[in-house]
């Protein structure tokens, strides 16, 4: 049964599964490289090899960037087998299958563990982490609907997960922002984002425009 969020006057907005459950954007420092990868299969591998990508695999090795420097080149060579994403039963997991750690910033995961919202979690080789849960998000959405349009709009950032390869960032690291890391990805969870959009269109927007702080 699909979760639903009730908007004023008993109007229910149900969650529907999109054709592509996530879109993955690859960055080198502040530059987006290549086209976004749209995932339709429940298991997606993102690696550093030069094989052609297919619907279960996003290979970063073939992507070119005129802004690439030695640090980025070295990091790209160390992505190796990269990471694997699993989308099962409304939950998203990340697994590090590289020989080097990956670094994950998931607002949904941080709330679950009562960590600071900006926490970056180091995921060593062979480890996995639950990075999103649809049921938890549904609960947050229900609460936010009671607080109004702005509160619902702010949940947009919950639907984006950032993962860097080899080099971490944040309070514990020399690099303070994700755009300071050589190689990283941003994962947009399309189902929750589209659900938010449908809920927002049923609500009355405030007179002042909302702004995103992501």
């Amino acid at each position: 049964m699909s979760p639903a969020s009730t908007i004023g006057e008993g109007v229910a907005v149900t969650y529907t599964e999109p054709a592509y459950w996530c879109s993955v954007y690859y960055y080198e420092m502040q530059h987006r490289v290549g086209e976004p990868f749209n995932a339709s299969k429940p298991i997606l591998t993102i690696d550093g090899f030069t094989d052609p990508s297919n619907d279960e695999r996003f290979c970063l090795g073939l992507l070119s960037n005129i802004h690439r420097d030695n640090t980025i080149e070295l990091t790209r060579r160390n992505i190796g087998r990269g990471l694997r994403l699993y989308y099962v039963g409304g939950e998203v997991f990340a697994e590090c299958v590289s020989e080097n750690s990956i670094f994950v910033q998931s607002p949904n995961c941080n709330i679950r563990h009562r960590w600071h919202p900006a926490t970056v979690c180091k995921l060593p080789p062979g480890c996995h982490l639950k990075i999103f849960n649809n049921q938890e998000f549904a609960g947050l959405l229900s609460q936010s609907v009671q607080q109004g349009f702005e509160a619902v709009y702010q949940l947009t950032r919950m639907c984006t997960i950032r993962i860097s390869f080899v080099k971490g960032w944040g309070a514990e690291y020399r690099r303070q922002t994700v755009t300071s890391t050589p190689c990283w990805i941003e994962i947009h969870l399309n189902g929750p984002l589209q659900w938010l959009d449908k809920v927002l269109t049923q609500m009355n927007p405030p007179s002042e425009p909302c702004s995103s702080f992501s």
Side-chain angles (χ1 to χ4, degrees):
M1 182 177 160
S2 296
S5 190
T6 304
I7 316 298
E9 300 178 0
V11 178
V13 181
T14 55
Y15 176 89
T16 53
E17 202 62 61
Y20 301 105
W21 67 270
C22 80
S23 298
V24 181
Y25 298 78
Y26 171 62
Y27 291 82
E28 293 175 359
M29 309 291 273
Q30 72 271 34
H31 301 287
R32 201 176 101 189
V33 179
E35 295 298 313
F37 182 95
N38 296 310
S40 57
K41 301 288 186 175
I43 300 176
L44 172 63
T45 299
I46 304 168
D47 60 44
F49 301 127
T50 55
D51 302 293
S53 295
N54 58 46
D55 58 1
E56 296 178 308
R57 188 176 174 199
F58 184 19
C59 295
L60 306 176
L62 288 175
L63 300 176
S64 59
N65 174 15
I66 59 170
H67 303 287
R68 193 170 286 157
D69 61 18
N70 289 337
T71 303
I72 295 171
E73 288 284 9
L74 185 61
T75 305
R76 281 171 58 80
R77 285 201 290 271
N78 284 298
I79 292 173
R81 293 171 62 204
L83 66 97
R84 206 167 282 138
L85 297 175
Y86 301 87
Y87 181 45
V88 186
E91 296 183 319
V92 183
F93 296 85
E95 179 188 16
C96 179
V97 290
S98 172
E99 292 182 356
N100 296 284
S101 296
I102 59 174
F103 300 83
V104 181
Q105 186 184 62
S106 163
N108 183 271
C109 174
N110 291 341
I111 283 179
R112 184 183 322 116
H113 293 287
R114 294 187 171 89
W115 296 336
H116 186 278
T119 297
V120 177
C121 185
K122 180 179 181 180
L123 202 57
C127 294
H128 69 273
L129 180 71
K130 186 195 295 186
I131 57 176
F132 196 84
N133 180 294
N134 268 359
Q135 213 58 48
E136 291 172 359
F137 181 76
L140 288 169
L141 180 53
S142 292
Q143 292 171 24
S144 298
V145 163
Q146 309 306 316
Q147 298 163 25
F149 188 96
E150 179 74 28
V152 174
Y153 182 83
Q154 293 302 326
L155 288 181
T156 304
R157 70 183 71 186
M158 298 281 298
C159 308
T160 300
I161 296 149
R162 290 167 172 168
I163 302 177
S164 66
F165 297 96
V166 187
K167 305 290 185 184
W169 84 96
E172 304 294 317
Y173 299 92
R174 181 170 63 84
R175 296 171 172 84
Q176 291 299 296
T177 61
V178 71
T179 53
S180 302
T181 63
C183 304
W184 58 284
I185 56 171
E186 187 169 81
I187 302 161
H188 293 193
L189 299 172
N190 295 324
L193 282 168
Q194 289 171 19
W195 194 19
L196 272 184
D197 196 50
K198 286 197 291 186
V199 170
L200 288 168
T201 58
Q202 296 288 335
M203 299 180 75
N204 293 320
S207 54
E208 292 295 319
C210 294
S211 59
S212 173
F213 301 101
S214 57

